[in-house]
Amino acid sequence: MDFSDPDAPHNDGQSKIIKHEDAAPDGAGHYRELHNFARSRTGDTVLAEDLVQETYLRAVNSDSSELRNMRAFLFRILNNLVTDHFRKLRRTRERFSTAEVPDIAADTQNAEDQLIARQRLKILQEAIDELPPRCRECFILRRFDELSHAEIATRMNITRSAVEKHLAAAMAHCTRRMRERG
């Protein structure tokens, strides 16, 4: 990759061309070599480019002022990144390969269970809808929002005793409906 040097004097209207490796600071001249290494290890050109970019980013952000061999430093970073990439890939594969494969017979049972659960849920929803408004609100705050009796009393501006009475009435009504229809 070539860049024109904007500060260079112009000779006969032409800009001086500087090679990327020549213009790059500390070690950037190893780009092709690093890229080839990463591509040979990963087999993926795009991944190799990403890993080399990450290598340079880490090198720039490190304290490399006293390094004697920038090339070796860059290759060490890149090698570590390649190793990390394959570790992550292996962990992901292990996670998915150990996942349970669903059993077709179990799916049939699960489908039946799901149908029964949906029917019971519908009956419960109807029972909740039949409750008086304050009783329904109290029940929903307790069972679905998981608020404590004190929190419900504060929110509804009623006593804790009233909360307990509403909850008892709601539970009795829902239990009765579930027995009748379920």
Side-chain angles (χ1 to χ4, degrees):
M1 188 177 220
D2 294 340
F3 296 99
S4 294
D5 183 3
D7 297 326
H10 295 299
N11 296 334
D12 299 331
Q14 294 181 353
S15 299
K16 181 180 176 189
I17 303 297
I18 298 176
K19 299 253 185 211
H20 174 65
E21 283 91 5
D22 297 334
D26 297 333
H30 302 292
Y31 180 86
R32 277 198 184 96
E33 196 177 4
L34 291 165
H35 184 267
N36 289 339
F37 173 79
R39 190 183 57 213
S40 72
R41 295 280 310 273
T42 64
D44 185 340
T45 302
V46 175
L47 176 60
E49 289 172 6
D50 290 343
L51 291 171
V52 172
Q53 289 300 319
E54 180 67 22
T55 298
Y56 280 117
L57 183 63
R58 289 188 183 191
V60 167
N61 289 328
S62 70
D63 181 23
S64 59
S65 59
E66 296 183 21
L67 280 176
R68 291 186 204 162
N69 189 339
M70 179 57 77
R71 180 180 176 274
F73 181 63
L74 291 170
F75 270 95
R76 179 181 297 150
I77 293 171
L78 180 58
N79 191 50
N80 290 341
L81 288 171
V82 169
T83 301
D84 289 347
H85 168 75
F86 284 114
R87 282 183 186 145
K88 288 177 189 173
L89 190 61
R90 186 180 69 241
R91 280 194 304 265
T92 302
R93 285 184 181 153
E94 287 172 358
R95 211 174 292 139
F96 285 109
S97 69
T98 60
E100 289 186 27
V101 177
D103 184 9
I104 294 172
D107 283 348
T108 305
Q109 183 63 35
N110 286 340
E112 291 172 17
D113 290 343
Q114 288 175 1
L115 179 61
I116 292 168
R118 274 192 225 116
Q119 290 170 343
R120 291 178 57 83
L121 186 59
K122 184 178 181 212
I123 294 168
L124 179 60
Q125 182 62 52
E126 290 170 359
I128 293 170
D129 290 343
E130 295 169 356
L131 293 170
R134 298 286 282 174
C135 188
R136 181 177 349 140
E137 181 183 2
C138 189
F139 181 79
I140 290 171
L141 289 173
R142 179 68 187 129
R143 294 296 175 184
F144 298 104
D145 295 343
E146 299 179 349
L147 297 181
S148 69
H149 290 202
E151 292 170 323
I152 295 169
T154 302
R155 184 175 287 190
M156 293 180 66
N157 198 25
I158 59 176
T159 64
R160 283 185 58 149
S161 175
V163 169
E164 291 168 4
K165 288 177 186 175
H166 283 307
L167 289 175
M171 287 300 295
H173 177 75
C174 290
T175 302
R176 187 171 50 254
R177 287 290 185 235
M178 294 298 288
R179 283 186 188 142
E180 291 172 358
R181 300 186 63 210

